[in-house]
Amino acid sequence: MVLQVLGKTEVYMQLINKVLLLNKTAIVLVPEISLTPQMVDRFLARFGDIVAVLHSKLSLGERYDEWKKIKKGDAKIIIGARSAIFAPVSNLGIIIIDESHDSSYKSDMTPRYNAKDLARYICKNNNCVLLGGSATPDITDYYRAKNSEIELLKLNKRANNASLPEIEIVDLRYELAKRE
């Protein structure tokens, strides 16, 4: 038997599939929608027209159409940047925050908010799962995990067993001293 190691996007999609089987909905937050067309394409290819995409690059009409699709319950998976946390979903089962270490989840414009904090609040009030995905978790989340406030799950191998890059630690003090 060959075991395939999954990448985090595949893990997200399998979790969402389980949520859909429970007749619940999902929100996937991404730091910047324009940087993630491959992820959106994979979700659309797997789940089809039950996916709604919300981001600032949509025209007002496109945004309204997506919002209406979500409100009517035709969209079961919402993918978007931080403002997608405000999507009018019902029967929420999971919120996934991709690249959860990214600072773009905080809005410095009025109204100021942190989508990660809102997601925690929404999940607590809706008794649903919150999953943050990151190869480099921020120090606050890592601290919470170390203190058992949240659970730390690890993907110890890369997708399809791709090799990890070779890493060399260099002490720059010695390197600079060599040049003198």
Side-chain angles (χ1 to χ4, degrees), residues 94-146:
I94 191 168
I95 298 176
I96 297 171
I97 304 175
D98 188 40
E99 302 299 343
S100 61
H101 64 276
D102 199 290
S103 63
S104 65
Y105 289 113
K106 292 181 183 178
S107 174
D108 292 330
M109 299 184 318
T110 305
R112 292 176 186 205
Y113 65 95
N114 182 329
K116 288 172 56 175
D117 291 342
L118 281 170
R120 266 192 291 281
Y121 177 82
I122 291 167
C123 286
K124 184 177 180 182
N125 286 336
N126 287 278
N127 195 31
C128 67
V129 173
L130 174 61
L131 175 67
S134 176
T136 54
D138 71 33
I139 193 72
T140 305
D141 289 339
Y142 190 71
Y143 177 81
R144 282 184 166 138
K146 286 299 184 187

Side-chain angles (χ1 to χ4, degrees), residues 25-27 49-54 62-78 84 86-91:
T25 57
I27 296 175
D49 63 353
I50 64 166
V51 175
V53 180
L54 292 174
E62 289 170 324
R63 227 179 296 177
Y64 175 75
D65 290 343
E66 294 293 280
W67 194 265
K68 197 164 64 172
K69 181 178 173 182
I70 298 164
K71 184 80 173 152
K72 283 177 49 183
D74 293 339
K76 303 292 184 193
I77 303 166
I78 295 82
F86 298 111
V89 297
S90 57
N91 206 18

